[in-house]
Amino acid sequence: MLKASQGRPPVPAPATVRPFLRFQKLPDRALAPVRRAVEADDDLRERLASVVSDDDLVGRAGWLWLHRPEGWDAEVAALVVEAGRDDEADRETKDERSARRRVEAAERAAIHGRATAEAARSEAGAARAELERERKLRREAAAVVDGLERRVKQLEVELRSARRKLDDAETQVGTLVVGAAEAQARAVELEAALLAAAVDAPVGPVVAQPSGVAPEARAPGVPLDAELLSSALRRAAGATAALGRALADAAVAVGPACAGGDDIAPGPADDVRGDRERTVARPRREPLRLPGGVFADSVEAAEVLVRRPGTLVVVDGYNVAMLGWPGLGLAEQRGRLLDALDELNARFGTTIHVVFDGAEVDGPAASSARAGRRHVRVEFSPPGVIADEVIVELVRALPVERAVVVATNDGEVRTRCRAVGANLLSSAQLLAVARR
């Protein structure tokens, strides 16, 4: 169309299409004005048709529209229908490809989501496990701290008791040492008087002298009074015996290992007392003997001792309970131990006396601990007194004919109870024989 307008003679272009003559390729918005201009001007259409000799340039539909042979409109309509089918097929193909891409993208997103969810679940599981472990460690730490606090309180009570005992022992030792020194000085004085009387005594009849005159006060050559000599001898013997008893009491007061030891044998002064009194040795409890081949620290030894008829088993309550159930509170430890001792009594008929520290146990708790236990006696130490002292005094107060077994790991209690003839079990031995 541009060439026609530049020809000789020039062919003027329709006004509606002149703005598009500068384009090498018509834009989409030019199609409608060009179509209206061609359809309105048959001469223009014929000129265009003469230029387009085949359908390669404008396509079959464009060639038919320009040349308009007979039946061209039906053929154009068929081409339009066919083109519509092709476009629909192309759209369906495009839609299918697009849908396939979306499905693939969704599958990839789902796989990624599943992997992310699995990783999140794994992390959550690990976090829960770590949290549970942390809570368990905190519970264990709290139980340990609680046990340590209870042990510190118990040790404070023991320390106060030990200090009181030490103060009492120091006072008693001081008193006894003074008494012993006085008795010794008196004995030396009397022995000197006796020696002087023996040296100066004449051979011959004895002349009585007034009583109360000291032997050393008489004049040389005066006959010795027999009654005065006998009285002096008795006083010397009594002073010597008093000195021996004072020294023995001092030894007991200095250390618990001396308590219950061998009694001091009577000295010669006891044999010369006017009333012929003799010091009688206090009877001592003899520990039970174990069968041959049974070691004292074995479970077999523990079973032999708790099964022995007539034997009293004295249990250091919290010492055993804290070893057997360290992670529990005092009340639950106490209950577990009493249940085990009840079962031990039921199996062997053992007589059991368990002693707990009573400083932290009120009346209702103590009553509940005793309730329903007819074969296991439960005792709580009084305020300010630890269970160790109650156990030692209990063993000492029992008749020496009664066999006693003490179950504890406390070194001082074991030493003091061994000194008075009790058999000993460790806390672990008692728990083992009680099947705990």
Side-chain angles (χ1 to χ4, degrees), residues 155-171:
L155 290 175
E156 289 175 350
V157 174
E158 294 177 2
L159 179 60
R160 289 194 295 269
S161 176
R163 286 175 175 170
R164 287 195 300 270
K165 290 190 292 184
L166 180 59
D167 294 340
D168 294 342
E170 290 176 349
T171 302

Side-chain angles (χ1 to χ4, degrees), residues 146 150 318 321-322 328-335 356 360-361:
D146 185 52
R150 291 195 300 270
Y318 287 127
M322 288 182 178
L328 304 180
L330 282 180
E332 194 166 357
Q333 286 179 345
R334 192 167 57 241
F356 294 102
E360 297 180 357
V361 179

Side-chain angles (χ1 to χ4, degrees), residues 256-261 282-287 391-400 402 404 406 413-423:
C258 299
R282 180 185 177 187
R284 185 177 185 275
R285 178 183 291 105
E286 291 296 330
I391 292 171
V392 174
E393 292 304 321
L394 172 64
V395 176
R396 285 179 175 173
L398 289 170
V400 294
R402 181 74 181 273
V404 181
V406 178
V413 176
R414 291 173 68 89
T415 299
R416 297 171 69 183
C417 291
R418 183 187 291 111
V420 292
N423 290 83

Side-chain angles (χ1 to χ4, degrees), residues 43-66:
D43 183 51
L44 176 61
R45 179 178 57 78
E46 290 177 358
R47 289 199 303 272
L48 291 174
S50 63
V51 175
V52 179
S53 59
D54 53 38
D55 55 9
D56 292 336
L57 183 60
V58 295
R60 180 63 179 170
W63 186 89
L64 290 173
W65 180 67
L66 290 174

